[in-house]
Amino acid sequence: KQEVTQIPAALSVPEGENLVLNCSFTDSAIYNLQWFRQDPGKGLTSLLLIQSSQREQTSGRLNASLDKSSGRSTLYIAASQPGDSATYLCAVDSGGSNYKLTFGKGTLLTVNP
Amino acid sequence: GAGVSQTPSNKVTEKGKYVELRCDPISGHTALYWYRQSLGQGPEFLIYFQGTGAADDSGLPNDRFFAVRPEGSVSTLKIQRTERGDSAVYLCASSPYGPNTGELFFGEGSRLTVL
């Protein structure tokens, strides 16, 4: 059974810092991996999706990497801003359904002004 | 509407009661999904609809949970004989055409508390 772990569970940084969020998964046979953002009391917003054949994806200040063989992904956030404060969730698709995702518990990020 | 709409946003009920949660997807989206997110956990898949039919209900935890989408738009998640362990945020998402043709758009969820 696929398990996804996110470290750290919580992270607090001053504004302007670059930071890395980590995600690991136990079964490397995945179709893709997604990073989501969840604001308090809100739904999920997809940030980046990396297909199993890809190594990384970039969107603005966000860069996600994937090392499928080692079961790891990182989300790099450059020049963090208070508006980046949210919970970041990593999710893997092991079956190719694109919807039956296995999520981690998330990393709660606080960026202090 | 502009996004996925879920009602009620909050529901408090007593153990043993029946609950209905509603999801109104983005107009024109044929695929609809329900997830459950317990406190401190990531979301877990419950059921996926393509049009009016449940294409995959393998995530429903037991027969107290049921969902319908009679006209291929609005969906209702129904929970019978609620238990305290059912307390969670129930998230709905929709996508155009199907799961492999675009990202999932999530609603803000319905927070269910069973006392």
Side-chain angles (χ1 to χ4, degrees), chain A residues 34 36 38 44 91-93 97-103, chain B residues 6 21 23 32-38 42-49 59-61 65 67 77 79 86 88-95 99 103-107 109-110:
Chain A
Q34 284 191 77
F36 290 87
Q38 186 171 33
L44 280 65
V92 300
D93 179 4
S97 71
N98 218 35
Y99 60 86
K100 200 178 289 186
L101 308 176
T102 304
F103 285 82
Chain B
Q6 292 189 245
L21 306 175
C23 173
L32 185 147
Y33 318 82
W34 284 98
Y35 295 82
R36 177 169 71 173
Q37 186 174 21
S38 300
E44 295 177 312
F45 165 74
L46 296 177
I47 187 169
Y48 152 51
F49 285 91
L60 295 177
F65 288 75
L77 178 65
I79 310 174
D86 299 335
V89 176
Y90 289 81
L91 295 167
C92 177
S94 70
S95 67
E103 71 174 280
L104 306 183
F105 295 85
F106 283 82
S110 291

Side-chain angles (χ1 to χ4, degrees), chain A residues 39-84:
Chain A
D39 292 281
K42 305 292 186 182
L44 280 65
T45 300
S46 180
L47 297 173
L48 290 164
L49 183 149
I50 312 177
Q51 299 292 348
S52 62
S53 59
Q54 298 175 318
R55 297 283 293 181
E56 64 178 343
Q57 282 285 338
T58 297
S59 176
R61 294 182 293 107
L62 306 180
N63 175 279
S65 69
L66 174 64
D67 184 343
K68 201 176 85 161
S69 61
S70 67
R72 295 181 183 179
S73 175
T74 62
L75 178 67
Y76 175 83
I77 302 177
S80 58
Q81 303 171 357
D84 295 331

